[in-house]
Amino acid sequence: MPSARIVGTGAYVPERLLTNADLEKLVDTSDEWIVERTGIKERRIAGASQASSDLAYAAAQKALKQAHLKPKDIDLVIVATCTPDMAFPSTACFLQDRLGIKRAGAFDINAACSGFVYGLHLASSLIRTEAHKRILLVGAEVLSRVTDWQDRTTCVLFGDGAGAVIIEGTKEKRGIISTHIQADGGLGELIMLPGGGTRTPCSKEMLIKKLQYIKMKGNETFKVAVRTLEELAARTIEDSGLDPSQLSLLIPHQANLRIIQATAKRLNLPEEKVFVNIEKYGNTSAASIPIALDEALHAGRVKDGEYVLLEAFGGGLTWASALLKW
Ligand code: UT7
């Protein structure tokens, strides 16, 4: 059985910047509060004509270029998103068409902020069983469209962006070493987007109640995230027979700097072994890890043979980890 390996990465964020100072003009908040509680300084906002598949397209093109591959080399397109262009066709189908990829399957997965790592779990299995040769996996979100810009408890947190990876098989003993996924649907009410689905379809009443926007019980989510991620990260490393000191880099989902620091502390990782870019982009949900991975690679923070841990937590609730040997 081959191992599954990431052979190309790419990221795209929209040009428009929204700073904490801009948010101070929209809601009763302050740069000081946002930085202290979250670590976020600014985020990117998609243009009026940009949907998730447009961001995904820009990121995917970069990943293909970096891997020296052509669209025809891809035989499966997976997009992890909780902000699809529309309910259907899937964002992956729009992306497949735009890239001109023929004879490939295409579908979306939704595990909210854990979506990209869930996608790695799936893609790695499909490559190892040789069901597919080369998979394009993209995390893409336009959260600004489902954000209530009058709700200070959520609007300061999110941003838009996309990150893409290409995964193929290798006979070498490296790549995606292990993946773990988990969920607790019983805690679904902590983060949700209640309106617009079949439970509460779009209606005048739904719009008046603002159910088309993300609702989050931030502090309760925070506590579960810290507890769960600390445990998940430690278990992922332990299960693979490694010691945390052998990790070269932790690339966590960028939801809150304090959550990231708590996981790093549990693993006894120094600051330089933890990748953080939350200050520039905020929480971009399924896009956050592939954007961070791409930036870490470009910054020379990941070298051949090094161990990298990815971990994410999000709506569902869902959480997931992936251990890579680069
Ligand atoms: O990616 C998916 C998973 N999501 C997460 O992991 C997010 C997890 N949660 C968090 O990151 C944090 O809980 C938040 C950043 C959302 C909030 O931080 P917190 O330290 O948990 O604050 P809090 O919700 O307990 O609120 C503390 C106070 C409240 O005021 P009172 O009730 O103490 O008077 C809030 O109303 O801060 C107030 N507050 C704000 N103040 C200024 C809430 N939002 C803001 C704001 N500006 N934007």
Side-chain angles (χ1 to χ4, degrees), residues 26 90 174 207 217 219 254:
L26 282 180
S90 68
R174 62 172 175 165
L207 295 172
K217 294 181 179 160
N219 195 264
Q254 311 281 315

Side-chain angles (χ1 to χ4, degrees), residues 194-207 211:
T198 52
R199 177 73 57 200
T200 312
C202 190
S203 67
K204 195 171 162 193
E205 197 194 348
M206 182 211 88
L207 295 172
L211 300 181

Side-chain angles (χ1 to χ4, degrees), residues 29 33 37-38 113 152 218-219 222 253 255-256 258-259 283:
T29 191
W33 190 96
R37 300 289 178 119
T38 70
C113 301
R152 71 173 183 172
N219 195 264
F222 181 92
H253 168 48
N256 186 309
R258 289 180 294 145
I259 299 177
N283 180 349

Side-chain angles (χ1 to χ4, degrees), residues 8-12 56 59-61 63 116 136-139 162-166 290-291 294:
T9 65
Y12 170 80
Q61 275 189 312
F116 178 78
L136 170 64
L137 169 65
V138 187
V165 298
I166 293 164
I291 292 173
D294 184 66

Side-chain angles (χ1 to χ4, degrees), residues 163-225:
V165 298
I166 293 164
I167 302 161
E168 64 179 34
T170 174
K171 294 260 171 326
E172 294 172 60
K173 280 203 158 37
R174 62 172 175 165
I176 303 167
I177 304 284
S178 72
T179 51
H180 289 73
I181 65 166
Q182 227 176 302
D184 183 352
L187 294 174
E189 55 148 30
L190 294 188
I191 321 174
M192 56 165 57
L193 198 162
T198 52
R199 177 73 57 200
T200 312
C202 190
S203 67
K204 195 171 162 193
E205 197 194 348
M206 182 211 88
L207 295 172
I208 291 167
K209 288 184 179 163
K210 294 183 157 195
L211 300 181
Q212 73 276 32
Y213 297 129
I214 298 172
K215 312 284 174 208
M216 181 166 79
K217 294 181 179 160
N219 195 264
E220 285 172 63
T221 308
F222 181 92
K223 286 176 192 152
V224 184

